[in-house]
Amino acid sequence: MSKSIEIDDVTENFGEDKHLIFGYTPTCGTCKVSERMLDIANEILKLPVKKIDMNFHPKFSETHQIMSVPVLMLMNKDKEVKRLYAFRSVPYLLENLK
């Protein structure tokens, strides 16, 4: 019996004017720290966020030419507005996501 894995729908927030896609892998330590910074920043911003394990999204990775994780994409509907690989700090995130 093969176990079916629920794959997140990356396009879930594509109806929103401003939303985030956070790409990570479970084994990435930097991703865990970055996710925590993102969670703190987003308590202020209150943007829809889709968190995806990049191991299960090779097509998305390829289409968007994602080079490494963590990656944070600021989106307007289905268009990428900005991409961050280095999160640096909560204030830095807030500044870049306004």
Side-chain angles (χ1 to χ4, degrees), residues 2-13:
S2 72
K3 192 176 131 201
S4 101
I5 295 170
E6 183 79 22
I7 303 293
D8 290 323
D9 179 9
V10 180
T11 65
E12 186 182 315
N13 295 318

Side-chain angles (χ1 to χ4, degrees), residues 84-97:
L84 299 175
Y85 287 109
F87 289 44
R88 299 189 188 151
S89 66
V90 172
Y92 176 82
L93 275 180
L94 288 169
E95 191 56 43
N96 277 278
L97 298 176

Side-chain angles (χ1 to χ4, degrees), residues 6-66:
E6 183 79 22
I7 303 293
D8 290 323
D9 179 9
V10 180
T11 65
E12 186 182 315
N13 295 318
F14 278 17
E16 303 284 339
D17 288 337
K18 195 172 185 181
H19 64 97
L20 305 171
I21 296 174
F22 174 70
Y24 68 94
T25 60
T27 55
C28 161
T30 308
C31 295
K32 288 176 181 48
V33 175
S34 300
E35 182 176 16
R36 184 75 191 115
M37 282 195 275
L38 173 60
D39 289 345
I40 293 167
N42 208 36
E43 281 173 24
I44 296 161
L45 298 168
K46 308 242 185 276
L47 293 171
V49 180
K50 187 72 202 175
K51 296 179 180 181
I52 57 171
D53 180 342
M54 296 310 286
N55 292 320
F56 298 110
H57 296 278
K59 278 264 187 290
F60 182 82
S61 243
E62 195 178 308
T63 306
H64 293 277
Q65 298 179 321
I66 292 169

Side-chain angles (χ1 to χ4, degrees), residues 73-90:
M73 299 165 73
L74 176 61
M75 306 289 289
N76 179 315
K77 303 220 185 284
D78 64 343
K79 303 276 184 281
E80 182 179 345
V81 178
K82 187 182 266 190
R83 179 183 302 195
L84 299 175
Y85 287 109
F87 289 44
R88 299 189 188 151
S89 66
V90 172

